[in-house]
């Protein structure tokens, strides 16, 4: 998770600094409470509107440095998809922050791409819990809602998967519609909905573009240098010996709980809406569900 991965580096550097100051390895440390306080201060949802905490301020002042725009091709794909499917967006970000990033990435009319938008969803608990949806007035939460009160073309806060499916069934006019959930967090967006709901999932894993793929060996991710590790090796392979060909924990989770895996939604937009994908199953090779091709470390 890019929101908290920085804490790993900060934690390590604080330990090194304390040891250097003491001229020895201290062994016992009490720094995590301070790091946790800092993370809460940086990311508390109220701080986006209040311009405090550092993170939101920097992002708003220089979005070009931290955000990427979606291509017109992807936006067109989403518009066409909505013509025949009921689409929804579920994000852990509060509505004001989500609106800022989505407006930059998808344009100011981004809510029109979805039939319903859910902010501050508190995933992965969204898929297993029963918190009610909360109505919104601008960026302010107001009253809790029952499933029957949910409507198309609205933005809500919090909520749960069970109540959302009640709305989706009503909007799609189907008693048992098929659900497809797409996300880039392997625990929150892939494992949990696949394990605890009837939704199929697509995993978005940027490391595919960062490490290179079969027939696409040159890394294309603009931040590939940050997503590769000479120490830990490939994201998709355990150990550093390519001859062992043992999938990593993450590669195993992808195969078990995702239908397919792509480096970005831009890849999905390259295919027609009615394209038939080969998905991960127990009876095929691990690489069959990767698009446009399997990662180099998994390629035979």
């Amino acid at each position: 998770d890019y929101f908290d991965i920085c804490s790993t580096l900060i934690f390590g550097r604080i330990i090194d600094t304390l040891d250097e100051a003491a001229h020895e390895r201290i062994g016992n440390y009490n720094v995590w409470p301070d790091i946790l306080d800092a993370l809460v201060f940086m990311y508390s949802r109220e701080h986006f509107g209040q311009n405090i905490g550092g993170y939101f301020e920097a992002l708003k002042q220089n979005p070009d440095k931290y955000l990427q725009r979606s291509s017109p091709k992807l936006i067109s794909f989403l518009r066409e998809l909505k013509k025949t499917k009921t689409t929804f967006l579920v994000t852990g970000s509060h509505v004001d922050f989500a609106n800022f990033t989505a407006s930059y990435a998808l344009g100011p009319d981004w809510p029109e791409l979805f039939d319903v938008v859910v902010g501050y969803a508190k995933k992965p608990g969204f898929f297993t819990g029963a918190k009610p949806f909360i109505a919104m007035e601008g960026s302010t939460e107001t009253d809790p809602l029952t499933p029957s009160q949910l409507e198309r073309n609205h933005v809500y806060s919090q909520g749960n998967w069970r109540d959302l499916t009640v709305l989706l069934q009503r909007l799609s006019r189907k008693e048992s519609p098929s659900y497809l959930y797409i996300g880039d967090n392997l625990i929150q967006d892939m494992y949990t909905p696949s394990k605890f709901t009837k939704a199929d999932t697509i995993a978005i894993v940027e490391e595919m573009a960062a490490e290179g793929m079969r027939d696409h060996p040159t890394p294309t991710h603009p931040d590939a240098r940050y997503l590769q590790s000479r120490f830990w090796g490939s994201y998709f392979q355990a150990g550093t010996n390519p001859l062992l060909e043992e999938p990593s924990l993450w590669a195993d989770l992808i195969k078990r709980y995702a239908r397919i895996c792509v480096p970005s939604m831009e890849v999905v937009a390259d295919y027609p809406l009615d394209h038939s994908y080969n998905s991960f199953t127990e009876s095929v090779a691990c690489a069959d569900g990767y698009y446009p091709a399997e990662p180099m470390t998994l390629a035979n």
Side-chain angles (χ1 to χ4, degrees):
D1 190 314
Y2 295 155
F3 282 97
D4 54 33
I5 194 173
C6 60
S7 61
T8 305
L9 175 61
I10 296 298
F11 186 90
R13 288 185 174 177
I14 291 175
I15 298 301
D16 289 343
T17 300
L18 292 174
D19 287 347
E20 291 171 3
H23 301 290
E24 63 177 349
R25 182 177 180 181
I26 298 175
N28 293 317
Y29 309 90
N30 186 31
V31 300
W32 177 247
D34 293 324
I35 295 176
L36 182 59
D37 285 345
L39 291 172
V40 171
F41 181 66
M42 288 172 60
Y43 298 136
S44 289
R45 58 173 176 161
E46 299 85 1
H47 292 178
F48 180 86
Q50 297 170 358
N51 283 322
I52 59 176
Y55 171 76
F56 293 123
E57 297 168 271
L59 184 65
K60 287 194 283 187
Q61 290 172 3
N62 193 5
D64 291 340
K65 182 178 180 180
Y66 302 104
L67 303 176
Q68 297 179 17
R69 298 188 188 276
S70 300
S71 69
K73 174 189 65 179
L74 175 56
I75 296 173
S76 177
F77 176 89
L78 294 173
R79 291 192 186 280
E80 290 299 312
L81 180 66
K82 190 185 175 189
K83 291 180 180 179
T84 58
K85 306 296 180 184
T86 303
T87 59
F88 60 93
L89 174 68
V90 177
T91 174
S93 299
H94 191 52
V95 171
D96 53 0
F97 178 47
N99 179 62
F100 177 83
T101 55
S103 294
Y104 183 93
L106 297 170
D109 298 329
W110 70 270
E112 297 178 1
L113 301 174
F114 306 98
D115 289 287
V116 61
V117 174
V118 181
Y120 199 53
K122 297 188 176 182
K123 298 177 290 183
F126 177 85
F127 295 103
T128 58
K131 287 182 177 293
F133 280 95
I134 307 296
M136 301 294 298
E137 289 186 3
S139 299
T140 303
E141 294 180 338
T142 57
D143 302 316
L145 301 169
T146 64
S148 63
Q149 293 176 295
L150 302 177
E151 298 179 307
R152 188 194 301 268
N153 298 328
H154 277 65
V155 177
Y156 300 106
S157 185
Q158 302 193 45
N160 64 84
W161 176 256
R162 182 187 60 194
D163 288 355
L164 178 61
T165 60
V166 173
L167 172 62
L168 297 178
Q169 289 169 8
R170 180 163 20 101
L171 296 182
S172 65
R173 299 180 181 179
K174 296 180 179 179
E175 291 186 5
S176 300
S178 298
Y179 303 105
L180 177 63
Y181 189 81
I182 304 172
D184 62 359
N185 186 301
L186 295 188
I187 301 301
Q188 296 183 14
D189 298 323
M190 188 197 66
Y191 167 77
T192 306
S194 178
K195 181 74 172 180
F196 296 101
T197 78
K198 295 181 180 180
D200 289 328
T201 61
I202 293 178
I204 297 178
V205 178
E206 295 180 80
E207 282 78 4
M208 290 179 64
E211 295 186 17
M213 298 164 279
R214 179 178 53 82
D215 300 328
H216 308 269
T218 302
T220 57
H221 197 290
D223 297 313
R225 65 187 184 279
Y226 298 119
L227 298 179
Q228 297 175 345
S229 172
R230 290 190 298 270
F231 181 82
W232 294 107
S234 171
Y235 183 87
F236 303 96
Q237 187 180 65
T240 57
N241 185 351
L243 299 178
L244 295 178
E245 297 184 352
E246 181 180 351
S248 67
L249 168 65
W250 301 119
D252 185 65
L253 283 174
I254 291 168
K255 180 185 177 183
R256 290 176 182 272
Y257 297 104
R259 287 295 187 177
I260 66 172
C261 181
V262 296
S264 74
M265 276 297 296
E266 299 286 349
V267 171
V268 178
D270 284 335
Y271 295 88
L273 287 173
D274 60 353
H275 182 76
S276 180
Y277 294 87
N278 292 323
S279 63
F280 296 117
T281 69
E282 292 298 327
S283 61
V284 299
C286 180
D288 282 3
Y290 287 103
Y291 284 84
E294 64 267 32
M296 288 295 295
T297 50
L298 298 180
N300 294 322

